[in-house]
Amino acid sequence: SYVLTQPPSVSVAPGQTARITCGGNNIGSKSVHWYQQKPGQAPVLVVYDDSDRPSGIPERFSGSNSGNTATLTISRVEAGDEADYYCQVWDSSSDHPYVFGTGTKVTVL
Amino acid sequence: QVQLQESGPGLVKPSETLSLTCAVSGYSISSGYYWGWIRQPPGKGLEWIGSIYHSGSTYYNPSLKSRVTISVDTSKNQFSLKLSSVTAADTAVYYCARHKPGANFDYWGQGTLVTVSS
């Protein structure tokens, strides 16, 4: 089945920019979605279809996708952005089509 | 506003069947979308279990397929998960969620912790 690899952790100072990568074979050919999960809470969709934001998600959250890497960028990081982040794709060629990344813990210093 | 709410036993004995229901409000299951189950073992990542359409069409994670059944009750606007022959490895928070085919999960339930233990 398709594998999505994320760095276990990313640390960033308040006001700076956090970049979270999601690696997969030719991931640029797929639509990538990103979820934020705070402790004890359900995941929340923050970016879909590579770079679109659901209603209510700040413009500070943006996404890109090319080649073998998709990236979620959080600009002007705030303390409230501290959470786990997961990427997700649909692999149409697989019998296990809904695949989540390994997850990245973002720590705000 | 679409809302999903999981319910079911929080403790299941090994070898027994885990049963959960997801009640949907603010949207009619019969109107479309797929309805899925995702789980998350303590301290670990997310795993898709399977999904169902309002017509009853289902598809499952191959690693769980032999033990999983997802069904839908449009009259009650809810769908259900059954996972048989559970072991400690099935201990997880179970989420229900809405999604379009081949797309993202846009609405999630709050999740329910199911512990497998004697």
Side-chain angles (χ1 to χ4, degrees):
Chain A
S1 62
Y2 194 75
V3 176
L4 295 173
T5 302
Q6 299 180 235
S9 63
V10 168
S11 297
V12 59
Q16 299 304 303
T17 298
R19 294 181 178 83
I20 305 160
T21 58
C22 176
N25 184 35
N26 197 26
I27 196 173
S29 67
K30 304 180 186 301
S31 289
V32 180
H33 319 293
W34 291 92
Y35 303 87
Q36 175 194 69
Q37 186 180 33
K38 297 182 178 180
Q41 297 184 20
V44 173
L45 182 68
V46 293
V47 167
Y48 67 97
D49 292 348
D50 297 340
S51 59
D52 291 332
R53 281 184 312 278
S55 174
I57 300 300
E59 292 183 6
R60 302 185 297 104
F61 289 83
S62 62
S64 63
N65 184 19
S66 179
N68 293 318
T69 304
T71 303
L72 174 69
T73 301
I74 311 173
S75 304
R76 302 180 300 282
V77 166
E78 303 174 355
D81 298 331
E82 187 163 289
D84 293 326
Y85 291 82
Y86 294 89
C87 56
Q88 178 247 315
V89 301
W90 178 63
D91 181 26
S92 60
S93 64
S94 171
D95 57 357
H96 179 186
Y98 293 94
V99 182
F100 289 93
T102 49
T104 298
K105 169 67 176 178
V106 170
T107 299
V108 180
L109 300 171
Chain B
Q1 176 75 337
V2 181
Q3 292 185 313
L4 295 87
Q5 178 68 57
E6 307 89 350
S7 62
L11 180 64
V12 180
K13 290 182 168 55
S15 79
E16 295 190 345
T17 296
L18 177 161
S19 296
L20 296 174
T21 296
C22 181
V24 179
S25 59
Y27 189 87
S28 171
I29 283 181
S30 299
S31 295
Y33 282 88
Y34 275 76
W35 306 88
W37 289 96
I38 298 115
R39 70 179 183 179
Q40 185 173 37
K44 297 188 177 181
L46 301 165
E47 179 183 35
W48 172 73
I49 298 169
S51 298
I52 190 166
Y53 193 55
H54 67 80
S55 63
S57 172
T58 55
Y59 52 121
Y60 303 130
N61 183 327
S63 69
L64 299 169
K65 187 174 183 178
S66 64
R67 300 193 291 129
V68 172
T69 302
I70 298 176
S71 59
V72 64
D73 186 337
T74 54
S75 67
K76 294 183 178 179
N77 215 39
Q78 64 186 34
F79 60 106
S80 299
L81 168 71
K82 291 188 185 298
L83 180 66
S84 63
S85 304
V86 296
T87 69
D90 295 310
T91 293
V93 175
Y94 286 76
Y95 296 99
C96 57
R98 185 184 84 163
H99 68 97
K100 289 183 178 179
N104 54 272
F105 298 85
D106 59 355
Y107 287 96
W108 296 64
Q110 66 184 28
T112 187
L113 174 63
V114 179
T115 302
V116 178
S117 175
S118 55

